[in-house]
Amino acid sequence: MTDARFVAASTFPGTARALYDWHSRPGALERLTPPWERVAVLSRTGTIEPGDEVVLRLHAGPIPYRWHARHLAAEPGVFFRDIQLRGPFARWTHTHRFTDSADGARLEDEIDYALPGHRFLPGWVHQRVEAELARMFAHRHATLADDLRLHARCSTRPLNLLISGASGVLGAALKPLLTTGGHQVWTLVRRRPDRSRGEIHWNPERDELNLAGLPPFDGVIHLAGDNIGEGRWTDAKKRRVIDSRVLGTGLLARTLAALPVRPAVLLSASAVGFYGNCLDCCMREEDPAGGDFISDVCSLWEHAATPAADAGIRTVFLRIGVVLSPRGGALQRLLATRAAGFPRRFGQGDQYISWIAIDDMIAAILHTLTCADLTGPVNIAAPRPVTNGELLQTLARVVRRPLLPPVPARLLQAVYGQMAVEVLLGGCRVATDKLQRSGFTFRHPRLEGALSALLGRPPVDPTSEGPRP
């Protein structure tokens, strides 16, 4: 045997041309890349037109390698084809075919490939490659189906959008979702901006932001802020956390309020930490702020957006839970010990965690952006919070790794001080009624299904939500 063929096919809502157009937009590659893969785009020209190329850095375990692909041919609404110029395969040709059917649009991914020394490799190697391809394309097709359903509701017309914090874990996932929906996205950056990439310079510390001469924005999504869950909270760290939120939010809100044509909506990030350590109480948007440092930060953060709300801009405070993504944040840090296992719990382990999977998080942002009924604070978290102990035990079960002894509260406090008390040992359980009543539905309402989808693992619990074919 000199080469092999893999085929994955699914039917999606809409037409073949609409499905092709989705693939041709910026961000399609990022949306289709499985979250468990460590991938970085090193260079790219165009999207899927003949001659367009992309160079990626991927990893086989801890070993990095490059994948250089070139698009060879395309017929809009019918097919496009790309080949590997450099990478781990001896040969790789991927043909994406689109056809209309009575049930919608059919996508067929056909891959003809050969491994180095293909005919001499044992059968289990070929089976492993086939299994990895099946896992990857199950994720791709499930994500595509979910995104298309979301855009059918929320992307009925193209919007001109401005994002701060676009280089963070959340912003980096959000931008491809927006661009594949046909929206134009501008980003705020602190370095020298590249206008060809839609970048705009700002410097909150120097009160610098000039939006003059730009087309009017339909909406603004403000996500920028120093990472509050990293390192000890020294006085300098606390000041940096507050300033990164208050100065940036205030500058943005004042600038938007002064525009001759104001955006219809401002989504400003906040956090469920607004409520403080609320033990096992279930907190709703009308509940008051807690008394912790995080609560003070969130209160100041939200108050800084007052100029936008006073100017008549619909202002929404996204009170975000713990966002789960293997590419950053809490889940990435927990996965660092995967080889050995996971602690059974932090401290007593009964502190609640209001979590949300990254794809539900960005979908909720797009939903909130286009849902005119939502205003003021909105809790953005999965509908089923879990305790710290439940999270770690579920993660160990999904990854199939052992549970290690618990991490004592005293040790965490000795290492991280107040940050450990409020972030690692404190808890918050929030209700998501307001978000759900507005019509939002979750892709992954249960933790085990979310972790299975994020890490490319089959659900251990057959009743949990997981990757869909």
Side-chain angles (χ1 to χ4, degrees):
M1 183 172 63
T2 57
D3 54 3
R5 173 170 292 179
F6 173 86
V7 177
S10 297
T11 300
F12 300 88
T15 66
R17 182 55 194 259
L19 200 56
Y20 177 95
D21 289 344
W22 185 96
H23 283 80
S24 70
R25 294 179 184 132
L29 174 63
E30 286 83 355
R31 288 302 298 148
L32 295 176
T33 300
W36 60 85
E37 296 283 0
R38 295 168 57 196
V39 179
V41 177
L42 301 180
S43 66
R44 174 162 41 196
T45 58
T47 55
I48 63 172
E49 293 297 314
D52 292 346
E53 296 188 2
V54 64
V55 180
L56 307 173
R57 182 175 64 241
L58 299 95
H59 292 78
I63 303 173
Y65 65 92
R66 292 195 175 196
W67 183 297
H68 185 181
R70 175 182 295 158
H71 290 273
L72 293 183
E75 183 178 343
V78 179
F79 83 98
F80 67 94
R81 180 176 297 119
D82 55 85
I83 64 167
Q84 173 202 280
L85 296 180
R86 178 185 176 187
F89 290 86
R91 287 185 301 282
W92 173 283
T93 301
H94 183 180
T95 303
H96 315 244
R97 291 192 175 88
F98 308 90
T99 54
D100 287 308
S101 70
D103 299 322
R106 178 179 171 83
L107 165 63
E108 184 176 276
D109 286 292
E110 180 184 282
I111 299 172
D112 293 295
Y113 69 93
L115 298 165
H118 195 99
R119 69 174 65 196
F120 304 109
L121 295 174
W124 67 266
V125 174
H126 299 287
Q127 293 171 5
R128 177 67 179 271
V129 171
E130 289 282 316
E132 285 300 307
L133 290 173
R135 182 168 74 133
M136 176 189 299
F137 280 89
H139 165 82
R140 289 171 66 116
H141 287 200
T143 297
L144 178 55
D146 286 336
D147 281 7
L148 290 172
R149 282 190 287 267
L150 176 68
H151 288 308
R153 289 193 302 107
C154 300
S155 301
T156 54
R157 67 180 182 91
L159 302 174
N160 197 42
L161 304 172
L162 176 64
I163 301 180
S164 76
S167 62
V169 174
L170 182 50
L174 175 63
K175 185 178 177 182
L177 176 69
L178 297 175
T179 53
T180 50
H183 305 298
Q184 174 69 38
V185 176
W186 299 75
T187 58
L188 294 176
V189 299
R190 293 173 180 268
R191 52 176 168 74
R192 182 189 296 273
D194 182 348
R195 281 299 176 94
S196 68
R197 299 174 58 186
E199 295 177 349
I200 303 166
H201 174 75
W202 80 323
N203 189 325
E205 289 77 14
R206 297 182 179 180
D207 209 39
E208 295 175 351
L209 175 58
N210 183 4
L211 300 181
L214 296 170
F217 294 109
D218 297 292
V220 178
I221 305 166
H222 176 43
L223 304 174
D226 189 80
N227 189 341
I228 198 170
E230 200 170 78
R232 289 181 69 92
W233 287 349
T234 63
D235 289 343
K237 170 71 173 181
K238 287 184 175 181
R239 175 46 53 191
R240 194 162 60 247
V241 164
I242 293 173
D243 287 349
S244 69
R245 288 158 171 77
V246 173
L247 296 180
T249 305
L251 173 60
L252 190 56
R254 292 191 305 273
T255 304
L256 297 177
L259 290 174
V261 180
R262 302 184 188 104
V265 57
L266 166 64
L267 307 186
S268 187
S270 183
V272 297
F274 175 91
Y275 307 106
N277 184 5
C278 51
L279 302 178
D280 62 348
C281 297
C282 190
M283 310 305 287
R284 288 176 164 79
E285 288 83 356
E286 60 269 21
D287 288 319
D292 299 338
F293 170 68
I294 295 179
S295 306
D296 293 340
V297 170
C298 292
S299 295
L300 293 168
W301 198 359
E302 294 182 9
H303 180 73
T306 300
D310 288 347
I313 299 171
R314 178 170 67 93
T315 302
V316 182
F317 304 112
L318 306 171
R319 290 183 181 166
I320 301 171
V322 176
V323 180
L324 298 184
S325 168
R327 294 177 180 167
L331 181 58
Q332 185 188 58
R333 290 195 289 271
L334 288 173
L335 290 171
T337 69
R338 171 168 36 188
F342 302 100
R344 184 173 296 275
R345 62 182 181 271
F346 291 160
Q348 294 298 313
D350 57 356
Q351 61 272 36
Y352 269 95
I353 297 173
S354 291
W355 62 273
I356 186 167
I358 183 72
D359 276 349
D360 276 326
M361 181 66 244
I362 60 176
I365 290 177
L366 178 55
H367 169 83
T368 306
L369 185 77
T370 58
C371 181
D373 294 334
L374 285 174
T375 188
V378 180
N379 293 335
I380 310 291
R384 298 173 181 269
V386 297
T387 64
N388 171 266
E390 289 171 334
L391 186 147
L392 290 166
Q393 290 165 38
T394 304
L395 179 59
R397 186 165 64 248
V398 169
V399 182
R400 294 178 172 83
R401 299 304 301 158
L403 283 168
L404 305 174
V407 181
R410 287 185 178 180
L411 175 60
L412 291 170
Q413 292 178 51
V415 175
Y416 296 110
Q418 184 183 358
M419 191 277 279
V421 175
E422 295 195 22
V423 175
L424 301 176
L425 301 173
C428 185
R429 181 161 63 120
V430 301
T432 59
D433 302 351
K434 184 175 181 178
L435 178 64
Q436 290 178 277
R437 283 197 305 267
S438 71
F440 183 75
T441 56
F442 290 88
R443 303 182 187 192
H444 306 296
R446 297 174 181 269
L447 178 63
E448 186 162 310
L451 291 174
S452 298
L454 289 167
L455 302 176
R457 299 296 184 116
V460 179
D461 178 359
T463 67
S464 68
E465 292 292 324
R468 298 164 301 288

